[in-house]
Amino acid sequence: MAQRKLGLAVSAVLTVAAILLVAIRGLNLGIDFTGGVLVEVEYPQSVELDTVRRHLAEAGYERAVVQYFGSTTAVLIRLPPAENASSAQVSTNILRALHAEESGISLRRIEFVGPQVGEELAEKGGLALLFAFIGIMVYIAFRFEWKFSVGAIAALVHDAVMVLGYLALLQVEFDITTLAAILALIGYSNNETIVIFDRVRENLIHQRRTDILDVINLSVNQTLLRSVITHLTTLLVLFALLLLGGPSVHSFSVALIFGVIVATYSSIYISTNLAVALGVSREDLLPPEDKELGATL
C-alpha cells in the first residue's frame, strides 16, 4: 500500500492508452462479427484440420476458420465476406483449393452470413458484459460494502479494457471465443478480488487497533502465496492451449494470458486501493449490533 498512489497512476495511464489503441487501431474483428461465408464439406475419411487450413492458405484463404462439424469427416469452413462472388463461384474455389476431385470431397452446404448477425452478436456480447458487471457489483455490495463494490467493478473494467487494448495493439483476431475469454477473465479476476476482500474484512474486524493500511498489507501478504500458485497453474494451462491448441483457441489463450497477468495487480492496486481511497473502515464491516455497541461505548 506504500506504492498505492503510484500503482493507481500507472494503471490510469495504461487504461487511457488501451482506450486510445482501441479507438485508433480498432479491433481485428473476426467473421463472427463481420459476417462471411459458411461452407460445409464432407470427406470420405477422417481429416486433420491443419491439412485443410494449409490447402486453404495456399489458395489465398489465410483468414479461414476451420473446425469439425459433428464428426472428423465433416468440416465447417468460415470465410470473410466474398465481394461480387456467387455461391457457385465460392464453392467451386473452395473445392478446387481442397483438391476435391482427387480426395473425394463433397459439398454439403454453403451459406452467406450478413453483417447484421455480427452486429447482433456484438450487441448481445456487450449486454452480457454489462449484466455481469451489474451482478458482481450488487453481490459485492451485499456481501461486503459498497466501497469494496466500486473498487471491484473498477478493477474488472480495467482488466477488460486492458485486454482489448492489447488485442488492438497486436491485431489479434477478435471473435466469439475472444469475447468468451474476456467474460471468463471477469470471473477469474473477481474471484481474486473476493479472496483479498474476505481476508481484509476478517482482519479489520479482529484487529481493531491496527491502521487500515497495515491491515490491508497484512491481508495481501496472507493471500500472496495462494495467488502466486493460482496464477502460475492457470498460466501453465493457458500456455499449453496457446502452443498446442491450434488456431481455433489462439485468440482465447492470448487474451486470457495477458488478462491473468493484469488481474494479478489490479486486485491489489485498483480494487483494494479504491476502497481505501473511498474511506473504507472497520465500522463499515461490523454487524449492526457491534456498531450500536461501539456507539454506546
Side-chain angles (χ1 to χ4, degrees):
M1 286 295 101
Q3 307 299 326
R4 65 187 185 280
K5 294 181 179 178
L6 176 62
L8 195 59
V10 171
S11 297
V13 172
L14 291 177
T15 302
V16 172
I19 294 173
L20 291 177
L21 280 171
V22 174
I24 296 174
R25 288 179 62 87
L27 295 172
N28 181 20
L29 296 177
I31 299 171
D32 293 326
F33 295 101
T34 61
V37 183
L38 295 178
V39 181
E40 184 182 348
V41 295
E42 179 75 25
Y43 280 77
Q45 66 280 330
S46 298
V47 62
E48 294 292 334
L49 293 181
D50 287 339
T51 302
V52 180
R53 295 189 184 101
R54 186 178 70 254
H55 289 160
L56 292 173
E58 291 172 354
Y61 297 106
E62 290 85 1
R63 294 188 60 194
V65 178
V66 182
Q67 64 188 82
Y68 290 124
F69 192 71
S71 68
T72 56
T73 60
V75 177
L76 184 66
I77 303 169
R78 291 183 291 174
L79 304 171
E83 298 181 1
N84 302 322
S86 64
S87 59
Q89 292 173 321
V90 173
S91 59
T92 300
N93 293 336
I94 293 297
L95 291 176
R96 185 182 298 117
L98 298 177
H99 310 289
E101 294 184 1
E102 298 87 346
S103 304
I105 302 171
S106 60
L107 177 70
R108 297 183 62 177
R109 67 184 172 104
I110 179 170
E111 298 178 1
F112 286 86
V113 180
Q116 65 274 8
V117 177
E119 293 176 1
E120 183 179 355
L121 277 175
E123 180 182 352
K124 290 183 177 180
L127 288 175
L129 286 173
L130 178 61
F131 289 146
F133 286 142
I134 293 175
I136 291 171
M137 189 170 185
V138 171
Y139 167 73
I140 296 178
F142 176 78
R143 179 174 174 181
F144 295 97
E145 215 270 337
W146 71 267
K147 297 170 185 176
F148 281 116
S149 180
V150 172
I153 292 300
L156 297 182
V157 172
H158 164 271
D159 295 346
V161 170
M162 289 293 291
V163 171
L164 291 175
Y166 179 73
L167 297 176
L169 176 64
L170 299 184
Q171 286 296 288
V172 177
E173 186 176 41
F174 189 90
D175 53 18
I176 197 67
T177 59
T178 317
L179 178 60
I182 294 178
L183 288 170
L185 173 64
I186 290 175
Y188 179 90
S189 178
N190 184 60
N191 177 70
E192 183 68 20
T193 300
I194 290 295
V195 169
I196 296 178
F197 282 178
D198 203 44
R199 187 56 60 91
V200 169
R201 177 176 62 177
E202 180 181 342
N203 288 332
L204 278 175
I205 293 175
H206 292 93
Q207 301 188 25
R208 303 191 178 187
R209 296 182 180 275
T210 307
D211 183 73
I212 181 72
L213 293 181
D214 293 333
V215 170
I216 291 178
N217 273 324
L218 175 64
S219 303
V220 172
N221 286 327
Q222 288 175 338
T223 58
L224 188 59
L225 180 60
R226 175 260 176 205
S227 298
V228 170
I229 294 174
T230 301
H231 295 320
L232 285 179
T233 53
T234 303
L235 287 174
L236 286 175
V237 174
L238 292 174
F239 274 110
L241 281 177
L242 178 65
L243 299 176
L244 305 175
S248 59
V249 293
H250 178 264
S251 59
F252 178 88
S253 54
V254 168
L256 269 182
I257 286 172
F258 184 75
V260 167
I261 296 173
V262 170
T264 302
Y265 74 85
S266 69
S267 59
I268 300 173
Y269 286 110
I270 296 180
S271 58
T272 310
N273 200 359
L274 281 180
V276 173
L278 290 172
V280 68
S281 63
R282 60 178 52 85
E283 286 75 18
D284 296 327
L285 302 174
L286 289 175
E289 57 272 16
D290 288 353
K291 291 183 180 179
E292 294 176 1
L293 178 60
T296 304
L297 295 176

